Amino acid sequence: GQQLNQSPQSMFIQEGEDVSMNCTSSSIFNTWLWYKQDPGEGPVLLIALYKAGELTSNGRLTAQFGITRKDSFLNISASIPSDVGIYFCAGPSKNYGGSQGNLIFGKGTKLSVKP
Amino acid sequence: DAGVTQSPTHLIKTRGQQVTLRCSPKSGHDTVSWYQQALGQGPQFIFQYYEEEERQRGNFPDRFSGHQFPNYSSELNVNALLLGDSALYLCASSLGGRQTQYFGPGTRLLVL
């Protein structure tokens, strides 16, 4: 079945650093979504991508829809302490009914602050 | 603009019991999807409700059932609870089943 592979699994950041993470799949996606989840909370939608090659920003966050439609990237510039959390990529699943399929998620990239 | 709300926030049950979780979608949304998130994992799709009917279902047993009301709010019911049902249950809403979904804060269920 479809799977989304996120890397890295975890990373430590120092305030002010830029952060990059990615999400890959063996299947083609027509939408990529990036969410951030804080402990004990629901995922919050950060960026939605709908077209191959699309580059979209939301403040210090920038995400790209890969040309092959099998990957997506999220960059955070000049990180701050509140960027800590788990970042999930997600895409519509073909397992559950086709074009309006529900979302499958990667396992997340956990961002922590360097001690 | 009211976001997705869920109740209760936390719940403790024992094995074999039944539980009902509730969700109100974001204002203007008509589709509700339910997800289960185990610790350290991404959310897993349970089912989706649109126009008061279950439109799609993930790989969850029939112990998991749901309902959508005319005001688009939804309930998730789980019967014969197992220890493995302990998880964060998330509700997400969208308009017309679109892929861009907005999540609520979740209900943390602990089964003892």
Side-chain angles (χ1 to χ4, degrees), chain B residues 75-96:
Chain B
E75 287 183 349
L76 164 66
N77 300 293
V78 186
N79 294 322
L81 284 166
L82 304 173
L83 296 180
D85 294 332
S86 296
L88 181 67
Y89 288 85
L90 295 163
C91 166
S93 74
S94 61
L95 179 60

Side-chain angles (χ1 to χ4, degrees), chain A residues 43-63:
Chain A
V44 173
L45 181 64
L46 300 173
I47 294 178
L49 302 162
Y50 301 106
K51 189 177 175 181
E54 180 181 353
L55 188 71
T56 299
S57 293
N58 177 8
R60 294 176 297 102
L61 277 62
T62 302

Side-chain angles (χ1 to χ4, degrees), chain A residues 31 35 37 50 96 99 102, chain B residues 33 37 45 56 99-101:
Chain A
T31 299
Y35 289 88
Q37 187 173 29
Y50 301 106
Y96 310 128
S99 61
N102 271 276
Chain B
S33 301
Q37 186 177 23
F45 171 64
Q56 297 171 21
Q99 296 154 357
T100 307
Q101 297 181 18

